Amino acid sequence: MHVKIVGAGIGGLAAAARLARMGYRVEVFEKNAAAGGKAAERRELTPAGEFRWDCGPSLVTMPAVLRELFDFCGERMEDHLALRRVEPSCRYFWTDGTRIDEDGAFWERPDVARYLARARGIYDLSAEAFLHHAPRDWWRALGAKGFAALRHLPKVATLRSLASLNARHFRDPHIRQIFDRFATYNGSSPYRTPATFAIIPYVEAEFGAWYPEGGIAQIPRAIEALARRQGADFHFGHEVTNLLDLGGDAVLCNADAITSHAHWLPDASRARRMQREELACSGFVLWLGVRGRSGALSHHNIFFSDDYRQEFREIFDERRMPSQPTIYVAITSRTQPGDAPDGCENWFVLVNAPAYCHANTRGYQEVILRRLAEFGVAPDPSRILCRADFGPADFRERDNAWEGSLYGWASHSPRTALLRPPIRHPRHRHLFFCGGTTHPGGGIPLVLLSGKIAAEQIGRHFGP
Ligand SMILES: Cc1cc2nc3c(=O)[nH]c(=O)nc-3n(C[C@H](O)[C@H](O)[C@H](O)COP(=O)(O)OP(=O)(O)OC[C@H]3O[C@@H](n4cnc5c(N)ncnc54)[C@H](O)[C@@H]3O)c2cc1C
């Protein structure tokens, strides 16, 4: 039995390793020169030495999901990948001078602990079914523990937004904004995403925030090597342009589901329906190679905008770059000195951007640097040794991401959050999907789970 996989993002790689382990002949076709998709890395040689940056993800949650993939393949994750806990997982800054570290003491604040206890109920009810199974298998998957957790159903079924839940829960506007931000983990607005997503901070508090030694790109590298050891073959520089002509007993597409329907499948009306849904945001990345060290910063830092609601209005309603963005700065050389030359730092700067390839990003580097200057942390231009940026049009170009959206549909309604494009195509029954644009959603642990669910569905359909 022969499975052809389109795309070597983390979801496709996880499925490749599992399917090869299950005894299938597996071939992976990847348009780019290397595996990893959005979890790529960038290097630049300057007169001071070499800088290394992550290109996309910078934090790993739910490490058990990654470990289970290696277990499934009969190996130990620790032999191939060293995950280190990041503490504090984030340092938050406001222009009024407030600074809060997301560390053990933060999660134990009484108001935060009460919130997490509530979110835990939602997690207990929904995690096993939602994260590990396709929607049609949810009731079967609920199990005895899940049925006991049904008492939490009113919390899950709420039509309230995450922001309104947070506003009822937290008096301190700074704490509220921290918890609102978790909606952006799936590319959504806190003012529109259902309160159910309170499970995101619960997951971060309960299972920790982690970073792999050597950078995020070590994750796809380690999974690619795992898949190869199980017998999977890889073809790089091979862009698939027709999903039905590829041959093989089954095809598993790890590329963006909306782009796939628009360009590589013949069903135009289904493609149009998929394009009508609101998209999750894109990102604008700025890589800076900086001489010197910035005292106040940690490994992960967030500089909040003064008007969060306006920021999301501009991104989702007006589809333009935010005039005053919330800025994320990750400096991995703080914990991995080899990522920057001696006496230098590698700044990975990220802001949320509209999923719109024609968004005007000209001059936006300066918008970011001016805003960082208001916090007193912008590097002086004379200290910037190199810089480059990457926006929505680049995500479309490099990853085939529809309009540059990082996760396909936004989770702005229970339907688009819970019933995403399905893993198995309803008409072409040998065609399956995995990755951040399908079920259960984007982010490293979720795309790993998506690869798992897809491999299991293929196993159920075609047998071992
Ligand atoms: C800026 C940014 C920050 C992020 N931060 C985090 C974070 O901190 N933590 C976290 O967990 N997640 C984060 N994410 C999300 C995470 O990176 C993604 O959800 C995940 O890596 C996507 O995996 P995927 O399996 O969907 O595949 P993708 O990464 O989307 O890869 C798909 C692959 O398919 C290939 N492909 C596309 N079309 C074709 C074709 N026609 N033929 C052949 N190959 C094709 C592409 O080249 C690509 O390699 C972030 C993402 C970005 C971009």
Side-chain angles (χ1 to χ4, degrees), residues 52-323:
R52 190 205 70 83
W53 300 266
D54 298 316
C55 289
S58 48
L59 204 64
V60 180
T61 54
M62 302 175 77
V65 174
L66 197 48
R67 187 170 296 111
E68 191 273 333
L69 169 64
F70 282 85
D71 290 348
F72 180 85
C73 294
E75 300 195 18
R76 270 167 34 96
M77 180 184 82
E78 288 73 12
D79 293 337
H80 307 281
L81 203 56
L83 291 185
R84 303 259 177 269
R85 197 159 183 158
V86 184
E87 182 83 357
S89 41
C90 196
R91 178 166 291 164
Y92 299 98
F93 298 83
W94 287 263
T95 40
D96 66 5
T98 306
R99 190 176 112 175
I100 296 178
D101 276 359
E102 189 185 290
D103 56 11
F106 172 80
W107 296 123
E108 282 165 16
R109 285 171 54 117
D111 52 349
V112 171
R114 269 196 308 278
Y115 181 91
L116 293 180
R118 179 191 169 99
R120 187 201 171 120
I122 306 175
Y123 180 85
D124 285 348
L125 172 62
S126 55
E128 172 57 27
F130 176 72
L131 294 178
H132 294 268
H133 298 273
R136 58 175 211 175
D137 295 328
W138 281 348
W139 285 108
R140 195 164 50 78
L142 207 53
K145 191 169 163 236
F147 277 108
L150 275 176
R151 67 184 187 283
H152 301 297
L153 192 61
K155 300 175 199 166
V156 179
T158 176
L159 293 175
R160 193 184 298 157
S161 70
L162 183 65
S164 83
L165 174 79
N166 296 344
R168 283 167 67 117
H169 217 91
F170 297 113
R171 281 227 200 97
D172 182 339
H174 303 101
I175 305 292
R176 214 181 286 154
Q177 202 169 8
I178 289 176
F179 281 85
D180 284 354
R181 188 187 75 94
F182 285 102
T184 64
Y185 276 36
N186 62 27
S188 302
S189 160
Y191 305 99
R192 315 245 311 264
T193 205
T196 318
F197 284 95
I199 62 171
I200 299 176
Y202 167 74
V203 162
E204 191 155 308
E206 180 69 17
F207 308 115
W210 302 78
Y211 189 75
E213 208 171 87
I216 287 286
Q218 295 301 337
I219 295 177
R221 269 188 210 121
I223 306 176
E224 179 189 342
L226 176 70
R228 285 185 189 275
R229 286 194 296 278
Q230 303 299 324
D233 289 322
F234 286 80
H235 309 278
F236 291 103
H238 187 126
E239 180 156 16
V240 172
T241 52
N242 187 328
L243 289 170
L244 300 183
D245 270 2
L246 197 56
D249 298 296
V251 170
L252 172 55
C253 179
N254 175 225
D256 185 296
I258 308 171
T259 307
S260 303
H261 282 78
H263 296 321
W264 312 316
L265 284 170
D267 186 346
S269 65
R270 188 174 163 78
R272 269 197 304 276
R273 276 201 308 278
M274 290 180 79
Q275 288 164 39
R276 274 202 290 270
E277 300 293 349
E278 190 170 24
L279 293 172
C281 66
S282 185
F284 181 88
V285 176
L286 170 60
W287 294 286
L288 298 175
V290 177
R291 186 158 27 78
R293 206 178 138 89
S294 321
L297 304 191
S298 179
H299 182 135
H300 300 277
N301 311 275
I302 294 280
F303 299 89
F304 273 118
S305 76
D306 301 331
D307 188 345
Y308 216 26
R309 197 178 278 277
Q310 173 66 10
E311 180 177 352
F312 287 99
R313 204 177 290 131
E314 288 172 348
I315 292 171
F316 287 101
D317 301 340
E318 299 167 22
R319 293 204 303 173
R320 62 187 175 98
M321 296 298 294
S323 46

Side-chain angles (χ1 to χ4, degrees), residues 4 149 224 289 329 351:
K4 296 196 171 184
E224 179 189 342
V329 179
V351 308

Side-chain angles (χ1 to χ4, degrees), residues 2 32 47 96 173 208-209 258 280 338 341 357 384:
H2 188 178
N32 293 332
D96 66 5
I258 308 171
C357 284
I384 299 179

Side-chain angles (χ1 to χ4, degrees), residues 5-13 29-32 34-39 55-61 185 216 238-241 243 253-256 259-260 264 283-285 328 348 350 395 398-401 406-407 434-437 441-448:
I5 299 181
V6 179
I10 291 178
L13 291 169
F29 299 88
E30 165 57 52
K31 81 187 241 302
N32 293 332
K38 298 184 181 86
C55 289
S58 48
L59 204 64
V60 180
T61 54
Y185 276 36
I216 287 286
H238 187 126
E239 180 156 16
V240 172
T241 52
L243 289 170
C253 179
N254 175 225
D256 185 296
T259 307
S260 303
W264 312 316
F284 181 88
V285 176
Y328 171 72
F348 166 87
L350 171 66
F395 283 109
R398 189 195 61 191
D399 303 324
N400 276 334
L406 303 186
Y407 306 103
C434 71
T437 54
I444 293 172
L446 268 57
V447 302
L448 288 167

Side-chain angles (χ1 to χ4, degrees), residues 382-398:
S382 65
R383 288 174 50 214
I384 299 179
L385 303 182
C386 57
R387 56 157 92 185
D389 64 38
F390 200 85
D394 302 303
F395 283 109
R396 179 182 63 179
E397 192 62 27
R398 189 195 61 191

